[in-house]
Amino acid sequence: MSKADTTDAATDSGVIQSVSGPVVTARDLNARMNDVVYVGDEGLMGEVIEIEGDLTTVQVYEETSGVGPGEPVENTGEPLSVDLGPGMLDAIYDGVQRPLDVLEGKMGSPYLDRGVDAPGIDLEEEWEFEPAVEEGDVVEPGDIVGVVEETVTIDHKVMVPPDYEGGEVVAAEAGSFDVTETVVELDNGEAVSMHQEWPVREARPAEDKKTPRTPLVSGQRILDGLFPIAKGGTAAIPGPFGSGKTVTQHQLAKYADADIIVYVGCGERGNEMTEVIEDFPELEDPANGNPLMARTSLIANTSNMPVAARESCIYTGITIAEYYRDMGYDVALMADSTSRWAEAMREISSRLEEMPGEEGYPAYLAARLAQFYERAGYFENINGTEGSVSAIGAVSPPGGDFSEPVTQNTLRIVKTFWALDADLAERRHFPSINWNESYSLYKDQLDPWFEEEVADDWAERRQWAVDVLDEETELQEIVQLVGKDALPDDQQLTLEVARYLREAYLQQNAFHPVDTYCPPEKTYLMLTTIQTFNDEAFDALDAGVPVEEIIDIESAPRINRIGVQEDYEEYVEDLKAEISEELRSLY
Amino acid sequence: MKEYQTITEISGPLVYAEVDEAIGYDEIVEIETAQGETLRGQVLESSEDVVAIQVFEGTSGIDRDASVRFLGETMKMPVTEDLLGRVLDGSGRPIDDGPEIVPEERQDIVGAAINPYSREYPEEFIETGVSAIDGMNTLVRGQKLPIFSSSGQPHSELAMQIARQASVPEEEEGDDEDGSEFAVIFGAMGITQEEANEFMQDFERTGALERSVVFMNLADDPAVERTVTPRMVLTTAEYLAFEKDYHVLVILTDMTNYCEALREIGAAREEVPGRRGYPGYMYTDLAQLYERAGRIKGRDGSVTQIPILTMPGDDDTHPIPDLTGYITEGQIYVDPDLNSQGLQPPINVLPSLSRLMDDGIGEGLTRADHADVKDQMFAAYAEGEDLRDLVNIVGREALSELDNQYLDFADAFESEFIDQGFETNRDIEETLEIGWDLLSMLPKDALNRIDEEFIEEHYREDDAEREVVEAAD
Ligand SMILES: Nc1ncnc2c1ncn2[C@@H]1O[C@H](COP(=O)(O)OP(=O)(O)OP(=O)(O)O)[C@@H](O)[C@H]1O
Ligand SMILES: [Mg+2]
């Protein structure tokens, strides 16, 4: 968001009447809802959130201590917008798209000072523009008119802004330009530059929303294998503190096969963002070996940063995501945590003395959540390309109790539910996604893809695993009462198979250099190995081999080491052969 | 500076006064009572003609005639290296009869947020000498790792043990490479005189006071003052860490009392309460304290926080531990059951967690096998714990040999690994060796979380090897 861009729209100024934390009211201010204003002598950025009679209420995106009545408030006459253009990748922003690295330089301090502003993209940096149109071509809103290489991984498509009329190209030239310069001129006088602005609270237009049919492959076994999310899908990860929400989000940001990642750290820890900033430039994109940062845009409004900017960071993130979607990319957005966003809404709402709804949240909580997830999807863009925004939100329910409003309202919208479980986390079963509670409503529409790309019995195998795990859950209840040894042999064997499913297949160590990423082929082979053990073991049991002997075979525990094998294909093949051989030798 | 005698309302810790000039939000206020007593407060809400003031010392003694002065600035903490060795009250005024403190700077106690881009990721192992922490939930420099306890538990002993023993291995041969020194800042909020004495005596006994700054707000001190004490503490910590290169360990006790004070103010302002009556902004408020831990690029010092909180009803879903857990980088649980069994320290490692552990351990930091050993011990102890319930029903005979081994492991884990005593200081090497002694009670096959190479190197093939280590103890 850049102060410099203030146009000659209805600007006006007023006077502060009262200050209470992030909420300031002003008198005599001529403003519309959601206009951006600058508050006080220091010019702190804020947004109009209520107008009542002569009083205008503003939420301020910076700390307000020391600000007092009588100080001025200036209206920019423009809604809260983001700067869109090359330079958003490999960048780190606060909740209102101020680049944190630039702020560090401008403030000359590691602390976030007030009243300092900077545009979301560097207005002076020059980019090598390659036109995709020539004189005489007719272009419409949204059309791609050229390309710049934004990072080693991503070609940034320069588009006609959606609110232009379009027309015939009268000039388009290759060359080195900054983002404010005109690169393509139209006959109606419209000038296209590499820079657009878009109000964050408004979805960018698209032609059509389609049914997603391609998975967002995550490299995480339990997700791809049991609860897949689609490109353009929505998912929620609720869980109590320390159960693995952030690690899961980081894993997705690292390994999901999206073109672009927008990672929104919303009201969470500073160090978690630092970790991303330090790790991502060094980590390799599994698709092409480039630095991960080259496809990533970070938004960091940590818990100690101003609460109003926490409210807006989600919108800043999704608007950036939509912009890359418009270029025809598959974008995945992670928001950690949507609960902090909801709490920011609650805090502002209570300062406005609005009528509280459930647990103090404003009555519009459900609507805001729905609007946010609605902006995800698999789209046909207005320029004819197809692109997607997948939205994955962490939810942090108080006391880990999923019956609270944010979790419940989220579950009514999202189609993938990865329920984290404190018990599993406590026993260091990671990722601690509870396989009984979680679900994916995309499973059926994604199966054809997995069957085509990985193995034609993908769905069948998954069903087998689900059945075994279900049976285990039932058997465990009996075991709790009478002990394992009291069960019949075949059930004891089922428990053993289920144990391999849990320990080898469902668990995955995010911190192991190899296990951290598991391609779907490996996920599949691991499952087939466990099934080989299952089938051979039951044959042995039928042939009269005592269950203890079956369980005790030497080769089976090596199933637990498939995850850490780099050359897994050979390993799995040998292991299957050994398991069969060893079990068959028992009878 | 203008004086007002315009108080219109007094309600709990709040005073409302009419003004005819602009008063800044958060500004400091002095109120002089008819008896000549001066109380301090802070502007909570400012509008053109009336301000709400939160009075730190409480409002008793204030009447309509009291005079109100606005100091025109927000709350500051006078900081200097000379604070080391000093004892201050909860508002930062010396109470130890020492010389007057000449500040080098006066810093705003609210403290601006650290730019996430300017942080440095914490990954330097702090050896606390406590196996349950070093081995299983490692602390690193710049981390915030609270102790979740409940009343009557020995959390203070544990905190003192950490403060006494904490070192970074390389420091042992004299100073740290970068020459940074270690300092402790102790912030007491609403604890009893007796508890406070325990800390003070320990500090004096071990000579730690010289490298400490103590802030004392005791149980009978004004409750509202508790909302500024941790900010005073952290402002001092940041100064020593980021301007004077100290590695600062901050101990805040008891955060529960701090949160009660927040609730009191919220209630007096008739705010819409959040869960269980605590303010809806308590998450943000706590985050503004806890997030002041960390490291900063280009600065040598660090701020590590160990906040202590007593969970009401020993319930970790209570808003205070719950919101804390959502902000801090893990937590250490002090467990009443383990305490009644006599374990010292009575740490329950299973729900405990250090999120920064993974980057702080391993080859070159602690030891290459550390992560695997930790994972395996967690799994084995959890397994043994589960079986304890079952064994009560079906008896040991009904369990398999392996299950019996897990049960034995869990017992030994508590008695050998956890129960080391509050005075024993174990280095990481010793902690891990004890770990291997215990893991060797299980068959090799069961160690599925440990790299084969490490099993080869460390697994005790026979009891003799174990005893060698035990004898060396
Ligand atoms: N897949 C995984 N592999 C290994 N360890 C994991 C995994 N997932 C989680 N963990 C462990 O669990 C810890 C907590 O996870 P994480 O920080 O993601 O929790 P969270 O749900 O985001 O908590 P909070 O709500 O407090 O932010 C991590 O620090 C890590 O030690
Ligand atoms: Mg998290």
Coordinates of all heavy atoms in Angstrom, one line a residue, chain A residues 17-19 21 27 65-67 69 100 104 110-112 239 242 267 269-271 274 278 303 310 340 396-399 426-428 479 503 507 560-561, chain B residues 22-23 25-26 46-48 112-113 115-119 121 275 283-284 287 291 299 322 325-329 350 352 355 378 386 390 447-450:
Chain A
Q17 N -11.2 12.5 17.9 CA -12.0 12.8 19.0 C -11.7 11.9 20.2 O -11.7 12.4 21.3 CB -13.5 12.6 18.6 CG -14.5 13.3 19.5 CD -15.4 12.4 20.2 OE1 -15.3 11.1 20.0 NE2 -16.4 12.9 20.9
S18 N -11.4 10.6 20.0 CA -11.0 9.8 21.1 C -10.1 8.7 20.6 O -10.1 8.3 19.4 CB -12.3 9.2 21.8 OG -12.9 8.2 20.9
V19 N -9.4 8.1 21.5 CA -8.4 7.0 21.2 C -8.6 5.9 22.2 O -8.6 6.1 23.4 CB -7.0 7.4 21.2 CG1 -6.0 6.3 20.8 CG2 -6.7 8.7 20.4
G21 N -6.9 2.1 22.3 CA -6.2 1.1 21.6 C -6.1 1.3 20.1 O -5.9 2.5 19.7
R27 N -13.8 13.4 14.2 CA -14.9 14.3 13.8 C -14.6 14.9 12.5 O -13.5 15.1 12.1 CB -15.0 15.4 14.9 CG -16.1 15.3 15.9 CD -16.2 16.5 16.8 NE -15.0 16.8 17.5 CZ -14.2 17.8 17.3 NH1 -14.5 18.6 16.3 NH2 -13.2 18.0 18.1
S65 N -0.1 4.4 21.1 CA 0.2 5.1 22.3 C 0.8 6.4 22.1 O 1.6 6.7 21.2 CB 1.1 4.2 23.3 OG 2.1 3.6 22.6
G66 N 0.3 7.4 22.9 CA 0.8 8.8 22.8 C -0.1 9.6 21.8 O 0.0 10.8 21.8
V67 N -0.9 8.9 21.0 CA -1.8 9.7 20.1 C -3.0 10.2 20.9 O -3.5 9.5 21.7 CB -2.3 8.8 19.0 CG1 -3.3 9.5 18.1 CG2 -1.1 8.2 18.1
P69 N -6.5 13.2 21.3 CA -7.6 14.0 20.7 C -7.0 15.3 20.1 O -6.0 15.8 20.7 CB -8.5 14.3 21.8 CG -8.3 13.3 22.8 CD -6.8 12.9 22.7
L100 N 8.8 -5.8 4.9 CA 9.5 -5.7 6.2 C 11.0 -5.5 6.0 O 11.6 -4.9 6.9 CB 9.2 -6.9 7.0 CG 7.8 -7.0 7.5 CD1 7.5 -8.4 8.1 CD2 7.6 -6.0 8.6
E104 N 12.9 -2.2 7.6 CA 14.1 -2.3 8.5 C 15.1 -1.3 8.1 O 15.7 -0.6 8.9 CB 14.7 -3.7 8.4 CG 15.9 -3.9 9.3 CD 16.7 -5.2 9.0 OE1 17.3 -5.3 7.9 OE2 16.7 -6.1 9.8
P110 N 15.9 -2.7 14.3 CA 15.2 -4.0 14.3 C 13.8 -4.0 14.8 O 13.1 -4.9 14.8 CB 16.1 -4.9 15.1 CG 16.7 -4.0 16.1 CD 16.9 -2.7 15.4
Y111 N 13.4 -2.8 15.4 CA 12.0 -2.7 15.9 C 11.2 -2.0 14.9 O 11.6 -1.1 14.2 CB 12.0 -1.9 17.2 CG 12.8 -2.7 18.3 CD1 14.1 -2.4 18.6 CD2 12.1 -3.7 19.0 CE1 14.7 -3.1 19.6 CE2 12.8 -4.4 20.0 CZ 14.1 -4.1 20.3 OH 14.7 -4.8 21.3
L112 N 9.9 -2.3 14.9 CA 9.0 -1.7 14.0 C 8.5 -0.3 14.5 O 7.8 -0.3 15.5 CB 7.8 -2.6 13.7 CG 8.1 -3.8 12.8 CD1 7.0 -4.8 12.9 CD2 8.4 -3.3 11.4
G239 N -6.4 -27.6 15.8 CA -5.7 -28.4 16.8 C -5.3 -27.5 17.9 O -5.1 -26.3 17.7
G242 N 0.6 -26.7 20.0 CA 1.7 -27.7 19.9 C 1.3 -29.0 19.3 O 2.0 -30.0 19.4
G267 N -0.9 -13.4 13.2 CA -1.0 -13.4 14.6 C -0.3 -14.5 15.3 O -0.7 -14.9 16.4
R269 N 3.9 -16.6 15.8 CA 5.2 -16.3 16.3 C 6.1 -15.6 15.3 O 6.2 -16.1 14.2 CB 5.8 -17.5 16.9 CG 5.0 -18.2 17.9 CD 5.5 -19.5 18.4 NE 4.7 -20.2 19.3 CZ 3.6 -20.9 18.9 NH1 3.3 -21.1 17.7 NH2 2.9 -21.5 19.8
G270 N 6.9 -14.7 15.8 CA 8.0 -14.1 15.0 C 9.0 -15.1 14.5 O 9.4 -15.1 13.4
N271 N 9.4 -16.0 15.5 CA 10.5 -16.9 15.1 C 10.0 -17.9 14.0 O 10.9 -18.4 13.2 CB 10.9 -17.7 16.3 CG 11.9 -16.9 17.2 OD1 12.6 -16.1 16.7 ND2 11.9 -17.2 18.5
T274 N 10.7 -16.1 10.9 CA 12.2 -16.0 10.7 C 12.7 -17.4 10.1 O 13.5 -17.4 9.2 CB 12.9 -15.7 12.0 OG1 12.2 -14.6 12.6 CG2 14.3 -15.5 11.8
E278 N 14.7 -17.8 6.8 CA 16.1 -18.3 6.7 C 16.2 -19.6 5.9 O 17.1 -19.9 5.2 CB 16.6 -18.6 8.2 CG 17.0 -17.3 8.9 CD 17.6 -17.5 10.2 OE1 18.0 -18.7 10.6 OE2 17.8 -16.5 11.0
S303 N 2.0 -12.0 16.3 CA 1.0 -11.8 17.4 C 1.2 -10.4 18.1 O 0.3 -9.9 18.7 CB 1.1 -12.9 18.4 OG 2.4 -13.1 18.9
R310 N -3.6 -7.4 11.6 CA -3.8 -8.8 11.6 C -5.2 -9.1 11.0 O -5.3 -10.1 10.3 CB -3.8 -9.3 13.1 CG -3.8 -10.8 13.2 CD -4.1 -11.2 14.6 NE -3.2 -10.7 15.6 CZ -3.5 -10.7 16.9 NH1 -4.6 -11.3 17.3 NH2 -2.7 -10.2 17.8
R340 N -6.7 -16.3 14.9 CA -6.1 -15.0 15.3 C -6.8 -13.9 14.5 O -6.9 -12.8 15.0 CB -4.6 -15.0 15.2 CG -3.9 -16.1 15.8 CD -4.1 -16.2 17.3 NE -3.7 -17.4 17.9 CZ -4.4 -18.1 18.9 NH1 -5.4 -17.5 19.4 NH2 -3.9 -19.2 19.3
S396 N -7.1 -22.4 15.7 CA -6.5 -22.6 17.1 C -7.6 -22.5 18.1 O -7.8 -21.5 18.7 CB -5.5 -21.6 17.4 OG -4.6 -21.4 16.2
P397 N -8.4 -23.6 18.3 CA -9.5 -23.5 19.2 C -9.1 -23.4 20.7 O -8.2 -24.2 21.1 CB -10.3 -24.8 18.9 CG -9.3 -25.7 18.3 CD -8.2 -24.9 17.7
P398 N -9.7 -22.5 21.4 CA -9.4 -22.4 22.8 C -9.6 -23.8 23.5 O -10.6 -24.4 23.3 CB -10.4 -21.4 23.4 CG -10.9 -20.6 22.2 CD -10.7 -21.6 21.0
G399 N -8.6 -24.1 24.3 CA -8.7 -25.4 25.0 C -8.7 -26.6 24.1 O -9.0 -27.7 24.6
E426 N 1.3 -35.8 21.9 CA 2.0 -36.1 23.1 C 2.8 -37.4 23.0 O 3.9 -37.4 23.6 CB 0.9 -36.3 24.2 CG 1.4 -36.0 25.6 CD 0.2 -35.9 26.5 OE1 -0.5 -34.9 26.5 OE2 0.0 -36.9 27.3
R427 N 2.4 -38.3 22.3 CA 3.2 -39.5 22.1 C 4.1 -39.4 20.9 O 4.7 -40.3 20.4 CB 2.4 -40.8 22.0 CG 1.3 -40.8 21.0 CD 0.4 -42.0 21.1 NE -0.2 -42.0 22.3 CZ -0.3 -43.1 23.1 NH1 0.4 -44.2 22.8 NH2 -0.9 -43.1 24.3
R428 N 4.2 -38.2 20.4 CA 5.1 -37.8 19.3 C 4.8 -38.7 18.0 O 5.7 -39.1 17.3 CB 6.6 -38.0 19.6 CG 7.3 -36.8 20.3 CD 6.5 -36.1 21.3 NE 7.2 -35.0 22.0 CZ 6.8 -34.3 23.0 NH1 5.6 -34.6 23.5 NH2 7.5 -33.4 23.5
V479 N -8.8 -54.4 23.8 CA -7.5 -54.6 24.4 C -7.4 -53.8 25.7 O -6.8 -54.3 26.7 CB -6.4 -54.1 23.4 CG1 -5.1 -54.1 24.1 CG2 -6.4 -55.0 22.2
E503 N 2.7 -46.6 12.4 CA 4.1 -46.2 12.6 C 4.9 -45.9 11.4 O 5.7 -45.0 11.3 CB 4.8 -47.2 13.5 CG 4.3 -47.3 14.9 CD 5.0 -48.2 15.8 OE1 5.9 -48.9 15.3 OE2 4.6 -48.3 17.0
Q507 N 2.8 -42.0 10.2 CA 3.8 -41.1 10.7 C 4.8 -40.6 9.7 O 5.2 -41.4 8.8 CB 4.6 -41.7 11.9 CG 3.7 -42.0 13.1 CD 4.4 -42.5 14.3 OE1 5.6 -42.1 14.5 NE2 3.8 -43.3 15.1
N560 N 9.3 -50.0 8.8 CA 9.4 -48.7 9.5 C 10.5 -47.8 8.9 O 10.6 -46.6 9.2 CB 9.6 -48.9 11.0 CG 8.3 -49.2 11.7 OD1 7.2 -48.8 11.3 ND2 8.4 -50.1 12.6
R561 N 11.4 -48.4 8.1 CA 12.5 -47.6 7.6 C 12.4 -47.2 6.1 O 13.2 -46.6 5.5 CB 13.8 -48.4 7.8 CG 14.1 -48.7 9.3 CD 15.5 -48.9 9.6 NE 15.6 -49.3 11.0 CZ 15.8 -48.5 12.0 NH1 16.0 -47.2 11.8 NH2 15.9 -48.9 13.3
Chain B
A22 N -5.6 18.0 24.9 CA -5.5 16.6 24.4 C -4.5 15.8 25.2 O -3.4 16.2 25.5 CB -4.9 16.8 23.0
I23 N -5.0 14.6 25.6 CA -4.1 13.7 26.4 C -3.9 12.5 25.6 O -4.8 11.9 25.0 CB -4.9 13.3 27.7 CG1 -5.3 14.6 28.5 CG2 -4.0 12.4 28.5 CD1 -4.2 15.4 29.0
Y25 N -3.0 8.7 24.4 CA -3.4 7.3 24.9 C -2.1 6.7 25.5 O -1.0 6.9 25.0 CB -3.8 6.5 23.6 CG -4.0 5.1 23.9 CD1 -5.1 4.7 24.6 CD2 -3.2 4.1 23.3 CE1 -5.4 3.3 24.8 CE2 -3.4 2.8 23.5 CZ -4.5 2.4 24.3 OH -4.7 1.1 24.5
D26 N -2.3 6.0 26.6 CA -1.1 5.4 27.3 C -0.3 6.3 28.1 O 0.7 5.9 28.7 CB -0.2 4.6 26.3 CG -0.5 3.1 26.2 OD1 -1.5 2.7 27.0 OD2 0.1 2.4 25.5
S46 N -8.7 7.9 25.9 CA -8.6 9.3 25.9 C -9.6 9.9 24.9 O -9.6 9.5 23.7 CB -7.2 9.7 25.5 OG -7.2 11.1 25.2
S47 N -10.5 10.7 25.3 CA -11.3 11.4 24.4 C -11.2 12.9 24.7 O -10.5 13.3 25.6 CB -12.8 10.9 24.4 OG -13.3 11.2 25.7
E48 N -12.0 13.7 23.9 CA -11.7 15.2 24.0 C -12.0 15.8 25.4 O -11.2 16.6 25.9 CB -12.6 15.9 23.0 CG -11.9 16.0 21.7 CD -12.8 16.5 20.6 OE1 -14.1 16.3 20.8 OE2 -12.4 17.2 19.7
A112 N 8.4 -1.6 21.1 CA 7.9 -1.9 19.7 C 8.1 -3.3 19.4 O 9.0 -4.0 19.9 CB 8.6 -0.9 18.8
A113 N 7.3 -3.8 18.5 CA 7.5 -5.2 18.0 C 8.8 -5.4 17.3 O 9.2 -4.5 16.5 CB 6.3 -5.6 17.1
N115 N 10.8 -6.5 14.3 CA 10.5 -6.8 12.9 C 10.9 -8.3 12.6 O 12.0 -8.6 12.9 CB 11.4 -5.8 12.0 CG 11.1 -6.0 10.5 OD1 10.6 -7.1 10.1 ND2 11.4 -4.9 9.8
P116 N 9.9 -9.1 12.2 CA 10.2 -10.5 12.0 C 11.4 -10.7 11.0 O 12.2 -11.7 11.2 CB 9.0 -11.1 11.4 CG 7.9 -10.1 11.6 CD 8.5 -8.8 11.8
Y117 N 11.6 -9.7 10.2 CA 12.7 -9.8 9.2 C 14.1 -9.6 9.9 O 15.1 -10.0 9.4 CB 12.5 -8.8 8.1 CG 13.6 -8.8 7.0 CD1 13.6 -9.8 6.0 CD2 14.6 -7.9 7.0 CE1 14.5 -9.8 5.1 CE2 15.6 -7.9 6.1 CZ 15.6 -8.9 5.1 OH 16.5 -8.9 4.1
S118 N 14.0 -8.9 11.1 CA 15.3 -8.6 11.7 C 15.7 -9.7 12.8 O 16.7 -9.6 13.4 CB 15.2 -7.3 12.5 OG 14.7 -6.3 11.6
R119 N 14.8 -10.6 13.0 CA 15.1 -11.7 14.0 C 16.2 -12.6 13.4 O 16.3 -12.8 12.2 CB 13.9 -12.5 14.3 CG 12.9 -11.8 15.2 CD 11.8 -12.7 15.6 NE 10.8 -12.0 16.4 CZ 10.7 -12.0 17.7 NH1 11.6 -12.7 18.4 NH2 9.8 -11.4 18.3
Y121 N 17.1 -16.7 13.9 CA 16.4 -17.9 14.4 C 17.2 -18.5 15.6 O 18.4 -18.7 15.4 CB 16.3 -18.9 13.3 CG 15.3 -20.0 13.6 CD1 13.9 -19.7 13.8 CD2 15.7 -21.3 13.9 CE1 13.0 -20.7 14.1 CE2 14.8 -22.3 14.2 CZ 13.5 -22.0 14.3 OH 12.6 -23.0 14.7
R275 N -13.4 -15.6 27.2 CA -13.6 -16.8 27.9 C -13.3 -16.7 29.4 O -12.3 -16.1 29.8 CB -12.7 -17.9 27.3 CG -13.4 -19.2 27.2 CD -12.7 -20.1 26.1 NE -11.4 -20.4 26.4 CZ -10.9 -21.5 27.0 NH1 -11.7 -22.4 27.4 NH2 -9.6 -21.7 27.2
Y283 N -4.9 -12.6 24.6 CA -3.9 -13.3 23.7 C -2.9 -12.2 23.2 O -1.7 -12.4 23.3 CB -4.6 -14.0 22.5 CG -3.7 -14.5 21.5 CD1 -3.0 -15.8 21.6 CD2 -3.3 -13.8 20.3 CE1 -2.2 -16.2 20.7 CE2 -2.5 -14.3 19.4 CZ -1.9 -15.5 19.6 OH -1.0 -16.0 18.6
T284 N -3.4 -11.1 22.6 CA -2.6 -10.1 22.1 C -1.7 -9.5 23.2 O -0.5 -9.3 23.0 CB -3.4 -9.0 21.5 OG1 -4.3 -9.5 20.5 CG2 -2.6 -7.9 20.9
A287 N 1.0 -11.9 24.1 CA 1.9 -12.0 23.0 C 2.9 -10.9 23.0 O 4.1 -11.0 22.7 CB 1.2 -12.1 21.7
E291 N 6.6 -12.3 23.1 CA 7.3 -12.1 21.8 C 8.5 -11.3 22.0 O 9.3 -11.1 21.1 CB 6.4 -11.6 20.7 CG 5.5 -12.6 20.0 CD 6.3 -13.6 19.1 OE1 7.2 -13.1 18.4 OE2 6.0 -14.8 19.1
R299 N 23.2 -8.6 16.6 CA 23.4 -8.3 18.0 C 23.9 -9.5 18.7 O 23.4 -10.6 18.4 CB 22.1 -7.8 18.6 CG 21.3 -6.7 17.9 CD 21.9 -5.3 18.2 NE 21.3 -4.4 17.2 CZ 20.5 -3.4 17.5 NH1 20.1 -3.3 18.8 NH2 20.0 -2.6 16.6
D322 N -3.7 -21.9 28.3 CA -4.1 -22.2 26.9 C -3.5 -21.1 26.0 O -2.8 -21.4 25.0 CB -5.6 -22.2 26.8 CG -6.1 -22.7 25.5 OD1 -5.6 -23.7 25.0 OD2 -6.9 -22.0 24.9
G325 N 0.3 -21.2 25.9 CA 0.8 -22.3 25.1 C 0.7 -22.0 23.6 O 1.6 -22.4 22.8
Y326 N -0.3 -21.2 23.2 CA -0.4 -20.8 21.8 C 0.6 -19.8 21.4 O 0.7 -19.5 20.2 CB -1.8 -20.2 21.6 CG -2.9 -21.3 21.3 CD1 -4.0 -21.4 22.0 CD2 -2.7 -22.1 20.1 CE1 -5.0 -22.4 21.6 CE2 -3.6 -23.1 19.8 CZ -4.8 -23.2 20.5 OH -5.7 -24.1 20.2
I327 N 1.3 -19.1 22.4 CA 2.2 -18.1 22.0 C 3.7 -18.6 22.2 O 4.6 -18.3 21.4 CB 2.0 -16.8 22.9 CG1 0.6 -16.3 22.7 CG2 3.0 -15.7 22.5 CD1 0.1 -15.4 23.8
T328 N 3.9 -19.3 23.3 CA 5.3 -19.7 23.6 C 5.8 -20.8 22.7 O 5.0 -21.4 22.0 CB 5.4 -20.1 25.1 OG1 4.4 -21.1 25.3 CG2 5.1 -18.9 26.0
E329 N 7.1 -21.0 22.8 CA 7.7 -22.1 22.0 C 7.8 -23.4 22.7 O 8.9 -23.9 22.9 CB 9.0 -21.5 21.4 CG 8.7 -20.5 20.3 CD 9.6 -19.3 20.3 OE1 10.4 -19.1 21.2 OE2 9.6 -18.6 19.3
L350 N 5.9 -36.0 28.7 CA 5.0 -36.3 27.6 C 4.3 -35.0 27.0 O 4.3 -34.8 25.8 CB 4.1 -37.4 27.9 CG 4.7 -38.7 28.1 CD1 3.7 -39.8 28.5 CD2 5.4 -39.2 26.8
S352 N 5.0 -32.0 27.7 CA 6.0 -31.0 27.6 C 6.5 -30.9 26.2 O 6.5 -31.9 25.5 CB 7.2 -31.1 28.6 OG 6.7 -31.1 29.9
R355 N 9.6 -26.4 21.0 CA 9.5 -26.4 19.6 C 10.8 -26.0 18.9 O 10.9 -26.1 17.7 CB 8.4 -25.3 19.2 CG 7.1 -25.7 19.7 CD 6.3 -24.5 19.7 NE 5.1 -24.6 20.5 CZ 3.9 -24.7 20.0 NH1 3.7 -24.5 18.7 NH2 2.9 -24.9 20.8
F378 N 10.6 -40.9 24.0 CA 9.2 -40.4 24.1 C 8.2 -41.6 23.8 O 7.3 -41.8 24.5 CB 8.9 -39.3 23.1 CG 9.1 -37.9 23.7 CD1 10.1 -37.1 23.2 CD2 8.3 -37.5 24.7 CE1 10.3 -35.8 23.8 CE2 8.5 -36.3 25.3 CZ 9.5 -35.4 24.8
D386 N 0.9 -46.0 28.9 CA -0.3 -46.6 28.5 C -0.6 -48.0 29.2 O -1.7 -48.3 29.6 CB -0.3 -46.9 27.0 CG -0.7 -45.7 26.2 OD1 -1.1 -44.7 26.9 OD2 -0.6 -45.7 25.0
L390 N -3.4 -50.6 31.8 CA -3.9 -51.9 31.5 C -3.4 -52.9 32.6 O -4.2 -53.8 33.0 CB -3.3 -52.3 30.1 CG -3.7 -53.7 29.6 CD1 -5.2 -53.7 29.4 CD2 -3.0 -53.9 28.2
L447 N 13.7 -50.5 18.7 CA 14.2 -49.1 18.6 C 14.1 -48.6 17.2 O 15.0 -48.3 16.5 CB 15.7 -49.1 19.1 CG 16.0 -49.6 20.5 CD1 17.4 -49.4 20.8 CD2 15.1 -49.0 21.5
N448 N 12.8 -48.5 16.7 CA 12.6 -48.3 15.3 C 12.8 -46.8 15.0 O 12.6 -46.4 13.8 CB 11.2 -48.8 14.9 CG 10.1 -48.2 15.7 OD1 10.3 -47.2 16.4 ND2 8.9 -48.8 15.6
R449 N 13.0 -45.9 15.9 CA 13.1 -44.5 15.6 C 14.6 -44.1 15.6 O 14.9 -42.9 15.4 CB 12.4 -43.6 16.6 CG 11.0 -44.1 16.9 CD 10.1 -43.0 16.9 NE 8.7 -43.5 17.2 CZ 7.7 -42.7 17.2 NH1 7.8 -41.4 17.0 NH2 6.5 -43.2 17.4
I450 N 15.5 -45.1 15.9 CA 16.9 -44.7 15.9 C 17.6 -45.3 14.7 O 17.4 -46.4 14.3 CB 17.5 -45.3 17.2 CG1 16.7 -44.7 18.4 CG2 19.0 -44.8 17.3 CD1 17.3 -45.1 19.8

